[in-house]
Structure formats: structure tokens, C-alpha cells
Amino acid sequence: MSQLVPFGPEFWTTEGPVISVFTYPYLTRMAVIRLSAGTLFVWSPISLNDVLRAEVDALGKVAHLVSPNFFHHLWLGEWKQAYPRARLYASPGLPRRRRDLTFDRVLGDHPEPAWAGDIDQVAMQGNILLTEIVFSYPGVGYLIYNAVLNLDYPLMQALFFFITMAILIANLFADIAYVFLDPRVRVGE
């Protein structure tokens, strides 16, 4: 059974296992983008199995393993072991949390030269605990535009779902962080 689903030109996604974040069930998801150089950019790697590895290998050489925040690092070690030549990128603060991994670079507001022509990025400071590296892939906006023009309702629904989920997840993390950061906010009081 195929795991990678085409999302746009040179862009695939797949869902991973559900994990618990502060007792909240959280669905994991990753994206694979083939860069103009032909190498692969893997965002938020999920648990690697034989089927997923074969599909990724069929797309090209994995060159970049990226963790966009503190919560998307669980399987980086597994992927680094499978792809030892891939460069490992962390969000700010993650190297202190994952001392078991050697990161090649901590990401910031400017894209790495390896993907600067393909993907843009910015560091979004959410709170004291979380800095999210947000990536912008040029084809997604065009994909939404074409879906609206062509009345492609299933595609519009999928795109709006992903956008809505991203906003909801960001708000969830902010709400959870408030409980830990602001002593005036307590659950059940």
C-alpha cells in the first residue's frame, strides 16, 4: 500500500502514528519535496518503515532532514541512521533537547542555500518554549488558486483542511504553553 500522497508538483505527504502531547492525541505528518537539484527535503520525518523508505528512495536522494519545532523530532535519529549522508537541521533550542543527535545547522529566518531557490522559510517565535520554522513552498498557493478557478472541490477541501489544521495546532500549542508559562492560568481552577 502506497504511503506517499502527491500534494503538488514535486511535493508528497504522508501521515504517521498518533502520539501523545501533554495527554492530547496528536497526528503526525511529514512532507517530502524534490528540490530543483533533484535531492529530497524531508520535513518532520515520521516513523520509517520499509514501504515508506522504498517510496522515498524511488523519488531521489535524501539530502535534508528537517525538524521545524520541538515536537517534530521523534524519528530524526531513525532517519539519520537510514540516510547517514543527509544533513540534519533543527529548530532553535532543539539541539539542547536532543543531545543524542549531531545537527548540521540550526534553522532561522533565511533558507539554507541548498533550498533557497525552492523553499522559503521564516522563524516564528510562538512563545518561550516554541519557535516554529515555517516553510513556504511556491506551488501550494498556485494549487489553491487553480482549485478555486476549476471548481475542484475535493482539492480545495483538502487544502483548506491542511491550512485549518496548521492554525488549530499552532493555537493548541500556544494554549498548552500558557498553562506552563503563566501562573495565573491553571487547568481546573
Side-chain angles (χ1 to χ4, degrees), residues 2-152:
S2 177
Q3 289 190 332
L4 289 174
V5 178
F7 185 74
E10 307 298 323
F11 192 131
W12 298 264
T13 64
T14 189
E15 293 185 0
V18 175
I19 61 171
S20 179
V21 178
F22 301 114
T23 70
Y24 179 79
Y26 179 72
L27 179 65
T28 57
R29 180 175 290 114
M30 76 173 231
V32 178
I33 298 172
R34 184 182 298 125
L35 302 173
S36 57
T39 58
L40 301 180
F41 171 99
V42 179
W43 173 87
S44 187
I46 61 169
S47 181
L48 186 61
N49 60 45
D50 292 339
V51 173
L52 180 57
R53 182 168 184 174
E55 289 183 4
V56 169
D57 288 345
L59 295 176
K61 176 186 164 197
V62 174
H64 312 285
L65 300 171
V66 179
S67 173
N69 65 32
F70 267 15
F71 301 104
H72 293 268
H73 63 86
L74 299 176
W75 295 284
L76 283 176
E78 185 179 329
W79 279 74
K80 183 63 176 174
Q81 187 174 15
Y83 299 98
R85 293 190 176 175
R87 293 179 53 91
L88 198 55
Y89 299 90
S91 60
L94 186 58
R96 285 190 308 274
R97 184 175 193 172
R98 291 296 306 266
R99 295 182 194 277
D100 60 314
L101 297 174
T102 302
F103 291 95
D104 294 290
R105 189 100 153 136
V106 174
L107 298 170
D109 275 330
H110 303 290
E112 292 295 307
W115 64 72
D118 299 306
I119 303 170
D120 200 5
Q121 74 189 54
V122 65
M124 300 289 292
Q125 182 68 42
N127 55 50
I128 197 167
L129 294 176
L130 181 67
T131 298
E132 175 91 21
I133 305 298
V134 178
F135 296 93
S136 172
Y137 183 70
V140 176
Y142 183 70
L143 195 62
I144 293 172
Y145 175 75
N146 277 337
V148 170
L149 284 182
N150 296 319
L151 301 176
D152 187 345

